[in-house]
Amino acid sequence: MNILDIINKTKRSEPLSTKEIKWLVKSYTDGEIPDYQMSSWLMAVRINGLTDDETVALTLAMRDSGDILDLSCIDGITADKHSTGGVGDKTTLVIGPAAAACGVHVPKMSGRGLGHTGGTIDKLESIPGFSTDLPFSRFAEIVNETGFAVISQSGNLCPADKKMYALRSATGTVDSLPLICASVMSKKLATNAACLLLDVKYGSGAFMKTSEDAKKLADLMERVGIAAGKKVKAEISDMNSPLGKAIGNALEVKEAIEILQGKITEGYLYELCIRLTADILMLAGKGSDEECLAMARDSISSGKALNVLRRTIELQGGDPAVCDDTSLLPQPQSHYTIRASSDIKINSIDCEELGMVSLILGAGRISKEDSVDPTAGIIMECKVGDKIASGAPIMRLYSTVCSDFADAAVRAQDALNYTACRIATY
Ligand code: URA
């Protein structure tokens, strides 16, 4: 086998065999194929795509490039959830405890945020004392006790993806359905839960800009996951507005806790959390769609899901009292409110840009080594379609590391597309 034949085949849309794909992934991971030749193959994939069989073979070869977690020490049925990245997405903090309260074990291995999307690890680490740096054996013990625990991705999971993703970012080949599918699914298959729920997002804050593309990616991921022997369901969800009101680490933890406290019982974020929890319960064989939706709602309204989160926080070294008093979360030193200068109607929101504003405020990182400000972020006082009266707040910006809000405020306002409207006053 040689790399030139492989590049030429994909260039001519001739399918590669599983053997060829395994060889390609192994040889690249081992440093035997140089970046310039791998880039050429990736661009051929970006242009011509791959067949389903090739995508399955690529995913499995990437999964097998490193360790595969052994979850046999975790009792009962295990489930994992993955979101393809969004702005203000704190659903894991609700869904994990809610599914655990219904008897499904959720061992969550998560990443830190990079760029405009936040990571679950950063959110949880905003809770005073909370540690995600646990030995695997301790992580498994916590999952067995509470049903839910979170650790940071470590060890040698999917080294092929690490190398290929870095190369794709530098060569304009990220936006390819089979490559995104193989990248995400190889990591999820290496984490090895029995059930896998995928939340594929579309819109201004997501990789996929249209619901049609998100559906294609969702279907492909489902097919690949099922071919790999997992129970998989992929939902598609809207990321044209930030998810909920809060963007930023401690702010998002507060909003997630408010859902679990029963203070937020409607709206897109709440309904999405219920839908995704019910999906996990169905994958785990807990009942029909209707039964699982009812169980998901009950896990929250009964306070059982909040009890799971409280105990998980305690066992991971954090202050469980935040579950009863969110003012114990770190508080920002400065804030700035953006107000409507006339009566306006919000037509659309550039979520990716708001993710970048929250990064400027200190909530995110540009490179992996950057530290984050747990207090920084945005509270949205509007969503698409809202009419805002002159002088009313549109967004509130928070930070501790940044005290000059001028740049962030201009960018935040520019992220909104709005037109003048008449608001009746009586
Ligand atoms: N997230 C990933 O992990 N991989 C991709 O290719 C895109 C998003």
Side-chain angles (χ1 to χ4, degrees):
M1 260 175 267
N2 76 74
I3 180 65
L4 209 49
D5 285 346
I6 288 183
I7 294 170
N8 280 327
K9 274 191 171 176
T10 303
K11 188 176 76 183
R12 293 193 291 260
S13 295
E14 285 171 26
L16 300 174
S17 67
T18 298
K19 231 173 152 182
E20 285 170 315
I21 290 179
K22 274 188 184 168
W23 178 84
L24 172 71
V25 170
K26 181 161 183 356
S27 306
Y28 179 62
T29 312
D30 292 347
E32 286 155 18
I33 292 175
D35 281 351
Y36 61 84
Q37 286 181 311
M38 193 62 174
S39 310
S40 175
W41 183 76
L42 290 168
M43 186 54 85
V45 174
R46 165 65 185 83
I47 292 167
N48 291 335
L50 292 176
T51 65
D52 274 15
D53 285 349
E54 288 178 294
T55 308
V56 170
L58 178 63
T59 308
L60 298 185
M62 288 166 68
R63 175 198 67 183
D64 295 341
S65 67
D67 299 339
I68 298 180
L69 288 189
D70 177 4
L71 297 183
S72 58
C73 52
I74 293 178
D75 308 331
I77 188 143
T78 53
D80 193 2
K81 172 241 162 202
H82 179 80
S83 145
T84 57
V87 176
D89 186 352
K90 66 282 293 174
T91 53
T92 297
L93 305 181
V94 177
I95 295 164
C102 299
V104 180
H105 280 172
V106 186
K108 189 85 190 84
M109 193 166 264
S110 240
R112 291 177 197 280
L114 197 59
H116 76 280
T117 61
T120 298
I121 296 283
D122 295 319
K123 296 175 215 246
L124 283 168
E125 285 182 349
S126 72
I127 299 170
F130 194 97
S131 170
T132 56
D133 189 13
L134 305 174
F136 185 78
S137 55
R138 180 65 189 139
F139 168 66
E141 272 171 21
I142 299 173
V143 177
N144 281 334
E145 181 178 334
T146 72
F148 173 62
V150 183
I151 48 170
S152 39
Q153 240 156 41
S154 61
N156 186 35
L157 283 193
C158 290
D161 180 61
K162 276 196 193 95
K163 240 183 131 175
M164 285 168 67
Y165 194 64
L167 190 61
R168 286 167 58 211
S169 301
T171 56
T173 51
V174 168
D175 58 342
S176 147
L177 288 191
L179 296 179
I180 295 175
C181 172
S183 166
V184 170
M185 292 301 287
S186 59
K187 287 178 286 214
K188 288 289 119 185
L189 296 176
T191 27
N192 210 8
C195 308
L196 179 55
L197 176 70
L198 302 161
D199 175 19
V200 182
K201 307 215 173 272
Y202 66 89
S204 64
F207 267 113
M208 300 291 128
K209 297 301 172 203
T210 65
S211 59
E212 291 77 21
D213 280 348
K215 177 90 178 76
K216 278 188 207 155
L217 180 60
D219 289 348
L220 184 61
M221 285 169 145
E222 266 187 6
R223 290 200 296 275
V224 168
I226 290 164
K230 299 291 179 191
K231 293 184 178 176
V232 188
K233 170 130 205 252
E235 289 282 357
I236 64 166
S237 67
D238 187 345
M239 189 34 73
N240 280 306
S241 287
L243 204 41
K245 290 180 85 168
I247 307 170
N249 300 304
L251 295 171
E252 291 189 39
V253 171
K254 177 172 185 280
E255 192 172 28
I257 289 175
E258 283 170 353
I259 292 181
L260 294 174
Q261 287 172 332
K263 290 185 178 159
I264 300 171
T265 54
E266 57 183 22
Y268 188 73
L269 169 64
Y270 173 80
E271 291 302 337
L272 182 63
C273 289
I274 297 295
R275 176 70 265 161
L276 298 179
T277 305
D279 285 337
I280 290 182
L281 299 180
M282 279 211 294
L283 284 171
K286 295 283 178 189
S288 66
D289 188 38
E290 211 176 311
E291 287 162 348
C292 291
L293 282 167
M295 284 166 74
R297 287 186 201 283
D298 177 67
S299 74
I300 293 177
S301 60
S302 64
K304 287 181 192 154
L306 186 63
N307 288 341
V308 169
L309 184 65
R310 194 185 283 112
R311 184 73 180 133
T312 297
I313 291 175
E314 188 178 359
L315 292 176
Q316 293 202 222
D319 180 1
V322 297
C323 290
D324 306 295
D325 178 2
T326 53
S327 73
L328 296 171
L329 289 163
Q331 300 297 315
Q333 302 281 302
S334 324
H335 61 93
Y336 180 88
T337 302
I338 302 176
R339 293 177 188 277
S341 55
S342 57
D343 292 354
I344 56 169
K345 178 167 185 254
I346 308 293
N347 300 319
S348 64
I349 298 177
D350 182 343
C351 289
E352 189 168 333
E353 182 63 4
L354 287 185
M356 292 310 292
V357 171
S358 113
L359 188 152
I360 294 173
L361 293 170
R365 48 172 79 74
I366 294 169
S367 73
K368 276 195 254 172
E369 298 70 34
D370 295 346
S371 58
V372 298
D373 172 359
T375 70
I378 305 172
I379 294 288
M380 300 297 296
E381 299 292 359
C382 67
K383 55 186 185 321
V384 173
D386 281 357
K387 289 182 174 176
I388 318 269
S390 179
I394 309 176
M395 272 181 258
R396 301 179 197 275
L397 312 185
Y398 297 93
S399 186
T400 296
V401 294
C402 165
S403 52
D404 179 0
F405 288 93
D407 186 28
V410 169
R411 286 186 66 165
Q413 204 148 359
D414 286 351
L416 301 182
N417 174 299
Y418 54 88
T419 42
C421 74
R422 239 173 232 283
I423 298 181
T425 48
Y426 298 99

